[in-house]
Amino acid sequence: MRAKTLKRAVVAFALALPGVAIATVVAAPPAHADGCYTWKRNLYQGRSGDDVRQLQIRVAGWAGTRDIVENDGRYGPKTAAAVKRFQSAYGLKADGVAGPQTYTKLYALQDNDCTPRHFSYQELDAGCGRGGWSGGPLSATKTKANALRTMWKLEALRRDLGDKPLLVTSGFRSKDCNQQVGGASDSQHLYGTAADLVPRDSSLCDAARAARDHGFSGIYGPGYPDHGDHVHVDSRRENNSDQTSNTTVWSAPNCGIGTSGD
């Protein structure tokens, strides 16, 4: 007999006995993605370790306007601020301390492969239909890790847009794939740090404007050449393998967005 069925049977039997008082039965917390990652302690400013790094991956999309959350394993002010924004977005106590309530929400959002609920590796690995994470400037392992961080940023952007679907039309591209589709030679798609998006129930401009608050240092949208039908977002500031790692470039003129960010 399964544990849940046995528990119900015991309670039912006890209820049938006269004079037996039944204490309130507290349900076990819902199952979560143990196959991915489980936090063992509260995290707050001053703490460090791999558990902080794992948290930083998941709150990277709550960095705030023109900012990023470094994936360095150190719980500093930027990480605390991102956690606060995450907590506020999901109706939690916004104290910047990652504890049981914050983890429960993260568990509810993540799948066993650590991807967020609404995005998948398959979506981010366009690859011109070839699959796999090799063929770019970085190792397949690093490229896939970049794509995971990108997905968590997209999850935050999706939340900001009212949990309205975002269709990813292009993610990682190998060098051959990038050349085939006519991508720039230094495209962020080569690193797993970029995605082209088409919102289903909101406008392109809404997506481009909101992306400014979610850790994306590269945004191209309506008004930028060849971007009238999608929004491109990337994390070039975090990509230390190219020459644009410390720059922020936003251009969607038809949405009132220029390189100044306004």
Side-chain angles (χ1 to χ4, degrees), residues 7-255:
K7 180 178 180 180
R8 288 174 178 168
V10 170
V11 172
F13 176 75
L15 286 172
L17 297 177
V20 175
I22 302 298
T24 301
V25 177
V26 179
H32 58 261
D34 277 323
C36 171
Y37 190 82
T38 302
W39 284 269
K40 305 293 187 182
R41 60 175 181 162
N42 289 357
L43 296 175
Y44 42 81
Q45 287 198 61
R47 291 209 151 179
S48 61
D50 186 60
D51 51 0
V52 176
R53 193 183 304 275
Q54 290 291 332
L55 179 66
Q56 289 170 329
I57 291 170
R58 290 155 181 78
V59 300
W62 297 101
T65 306
R66 279 193 169 274
D67 216 339
I68 62 173
V69 177
E70 290 86 356
N71 193 211
D72 58 9
R74 296 192 294 270
Y75 205 113
K78 289 184 180 180
T79 300
V83 170
K84 282 185 181 180
R85 294 186 188 97
F86 172 85
Q87 292 167 330
S88 179
Y90 287 97
L92 306 178
K93 180 182 178 182
D95 57 7
V97 176
Q101 288 189 335
T102 300
Y103 299 147
T104 295
K105 176 51 65 176
L106 288 172
Y107 296 144
L109 287 174
Q110 71 182 13
D111 292 325
N112 273 327
D113 63 356
C114 300
T115 58
R117 179 195 301 170
H118 299 102
F119 298 93
S120 68
Y121 282 120
Q122 184 177 2
E123 285 181 274
L124 266 290
D125 180 17
C128 295
R130 296 168 190 165
W133 299 95
S134 59
L138 307 178
S139 69
T141 298
K142 176 60 176 174
T143 301
K144 188 176 181 180
N146 285 346
L148 178 63
R149 190 167 168 88
T150 299
M151 281 186 273
W152 279 99
K153 290 186 177 186
L154 295 178
E155 186 73 24
L157 174 58
R158 189 185 193 279
R159 180 69 177 182
D160 196 9
L161 291 171
D163 274 331
K164 296 177 180 178
L166 289 173
L167 175 65
V168 178
T169 59
S170 184
F172 165 67
R173 303 173 191 157
S174 66
K175 292 178 181 178
D176 288 343
C177 173
N178 190 58
Q179 185 174 18
Q180 179 181 325
V181 301
S185 61
D186 60 348
S187 171
Q188 291 293 312
H189 287 279
L190 294 165
Y191 301 90
T193 54
D196 291 345
L197 310 172
V198 178
R200 289 184 178 174
D201 298 313
S202 53
S203 72
L204 291 173
C205 282
D206 284 344
R209 294 188 193 104
R212 296 176 295 180
D213 299 329
H214 295 290
F216 293 111
S217 44
I219 303 171
Y220 298 113
Y224 187 82
D226 301 321
H227 286 71
D229 59 356
H230 70 280
V231 174
H232 166 97
V233 294
D234 68 55
S235 302
R236 61 189 60 203
R237 278 182 61 190
E238 298 167 61
N239 182 8
N240 295 322
S241 299
D242 73 345
Q243 298 302 308
T244 60
S245 58
N246 293 316
T247 62
T248 296
V249 181
W250 294 341
S251 183
N254 291 357
C255 307

